[in-house]
Amino acid sequence: MLATANEPTIDDYPIEAPPESGAGEWACPVSFPVIEDESITARLVAEVTRLAPWSAETRATRGRTLFGVTGASPDQVEVLARALGKLAEQGNLHQPPEVGIDWKFDMPLLVRHIADDLRTFYHEAIAAQPGPGAPNHDALNNWIFGGTALGDALQAVAVHLSADANPMSKLVRGLLIPEGYFQGGSAFPNSPAFGENNPETGD
Amino acid sequence: MVRLTDLHEAEATHMRARANAMTPVDPAPWISPKPLAEAKIAIVSTAGLHRRSDVPFTPGAVDYRLLPGDVDFADVVVSHISTNFDRSAFQQDPNIWFPLDRLREMAADGEIGGVSKWHYCFMGAQPNHQALEAAGEEVGRLLAADSVDVALMVPV
């Protein structure tokens, strides 16, 4: 197109993304037994402990990690898990958790990026595990929100955000859990007022 | 290419509404580009990428971050706020969102003239594209000063 166009031009890219074969049926080979009387924090810490060797393997293989946008270092994943667990259990959205991490975001936006760092850790862990193919977006979300303490913690934090009077908390709620997975409804409620404040266009 | 029908229905409806609300932008004067084999190329991304030492992006941010042409992907993180898009492919290969290695290979093969010393990242999910005008023009001046011929825009 660069060689032939003589005016501003928009062309459809003719190549469609290839279908994902079987990735939607993916299941994590590592299971996390749920013990009813355990706190979210305890379950979360147990999960990251179980996944840590796999995540370390992926970091070593790739020579990099996307973990750490919050300011946490890779050896602080358990600290980060405890911070999210505390937020889920106590719902304090106005003070950043004091856990020894030099946070790069203010509350409540920090919550969004704690979720991101932990999801990155989980994704990097399953990338190293044996098994056929990589899971697609839906399979990943079905796993996170259907069978992990991380998903349960994010659901609990989302409820706290929904109940908070700060408009920024409502916005962060919409950015915390992928559409279709929040048990409390859509990130895009049918409200013009919400739309005016919501930068989630995903361009 | 990704289509609205690939997205969750609520997300697709929201994005249609956003697109309908956007103000049309007049076309800029047409400039015939150099042949690619002679062109220096820079990447301009809206993936919210930056170096670990940079101040991260916040929702609706209208500023930008620099990524040097010799950046090590181990030093790059993402503070894009969208949670509706799968990041695992980017975790696997950063070139998915920021195809710097591909440009280096194309330069080595003579398919393009060269790779810019600097590349630029913005925050995506920007509801008011007019708010980006000042920063966009500034980046344009920087690209021109660096003798960049082509900006490869990578919307994420």
Side-chain angles (χ1 to χ4, degrees):
Chain A
M1 190 170 73
L2 276 176
T4 57
N6 53 22
E7 61 180 356
T9 303
I10 296 177
D11 265 353
D12 255 0
Y13 185 63
I15 299 175
E16 300 291 338
E20 298 168 281
S21 57
E25 298 163 10
W26 176 89
C28 179
V30 177
S31 58
F32 310 116
V34 175
I35 301 169
E36 292 298 333
D37 60 353
E38 259 191 325
S39 67
I40 286 181
T41 299
R43 289 175 52 215
L44 201 46
V45 169
E47 277 185 8
V48 300
T49 301
R50 196 171 289 204
L51 291 173
W54 296 106
S55 190
E57 184 66 27
T58 293
R59 286 202 305 274
T61 302
R62 293 177 178 169
R64 55 184 163 74
T65 177
L66 275 182
F67 182 92
V69 73
T70 55
S73 58
D75 62 354
Q76 288 181 304
V77 65
E78 183 183 323
V79 177
L80 203 62
R82 289 187 185 280
L84 182 66
K86 193 173 176 182
L87 288 167
E89 290 163 359
Q90 299 178 2
N92 182 356
L93 302 173
H94 303 283
Q95 297 295 326
E98 294 181 8
V99 291
I101 295 174
D102 185 13
W103 300 117
K104 293 203 166 186
F105 298 89
D106 296 327
M107 290 290 279
L109 185 59
L110 173 62
V111 176
R112 163 73 188 88
H113 293 286
I114 289 176
D116 220 28
D117 262 353
L118 285 171
R119 289 196 59 160
T120 295
F121 170 83
Y122 279 55
H123 291 183
E124 290 181 346
I126 61 176
Q129 293 171 357
N136 65 16
H137 184 61
D138 285 338
L140 276 173
N141 286 327
N142 287 338
W143 173 56
I144 293 285
F145 295 102
T148 70
L150 173 59
D152 292 347
L154 293 177
Q155 294 283 0
V157 171
V159 170
H160 294 312
L161 289 164
S162 296
D164 192 62
N166 181 355
M168 188 64 178
S169 294
K170 302 283 194 300
L171 175 64
V172 171
R173 204 308 283 154
L175 301 169
L176 189 69
I177 296 177
E179 187 64 31
Y181 291 89
F182 177 46
Q183 294 165 351
S186 172
F188 306 107
N190 187 18
S191 159
F194 186 88
E196 287 166 10
N197 293 322
N198 184 1
E200 171 79 16
T201 60
D203 63 344
Chain B
M1 64 188 298
V2 176
R3 300 184 184 282
L4 285 177
T5 50
D6 296 329
L7 306 179
H8 188 282
E9 184 182 347
E11 171 88 19
T13 301
H14 178 79
M15 291 185 72
R16 276 194 198 93
R18 283 290 184 196
N20 291 336
M22 290 179 79
T23 307
V25 178
D26 292 332
W30 179 253
I31 298 170
S32 296
K34 278 183 183 175
L36 274 180
E38 300 171 15
K40 184 195 278 190
I41 299 184
I43 300 171
V44 179
S45 165
T46 58
L49 306 174
H50 51 85
R51 287 173 286 183
R52 289 179 190 275
S53 56
D54 291 336
V55 175
F57 288 106
T58 53
V62 294
D63 53 357
Y64 59 89
R65 306 287 180 270
L66 296 173
L67 285 184
D70 61 353
V71 70
D72 181 347
F73 282 134
D75 190 32
V76 174
V77 289
V78 183
S79 55
H80 196 297
I81 52 167
S82 175
T83 191
N84 285 327
F85 299 92
D86 182 4
R87 299 182 180 194
S88 52
F90 177 76
Q91 292 164 5
Q92 191 172 341
D93 182 359
N95 289 285
I96 292 286
W97 285 0
F98 201 79
L100 190 55
D101 288 337
R102 300 294 86 79
L103 287 184
R104 290 168 178 158
E105 290 165 4
M106 291 174 77
D109 291 345
E111 293 179 75
I112 62 174
V115 182
S116 175
K117 184 178 177 185
W118 297 103
H119 306 269
Y120 300 86
C121 288
F122 288 83
M123 179 70 177
Q126 174 55 256
N128 178 7
H129 62 269
Q130 290 162 313
L132 288 166
E133 187 172 353
E137 289 182 355
E138 184 172 303
V139 167
R141 289 193 295 271
L142 289 164
L143 291 168
D146 200 19
S147 301
V148 169
D149 302 297
V150 174
L152 176 59
M153 314 291 282
V154 187
V156 174

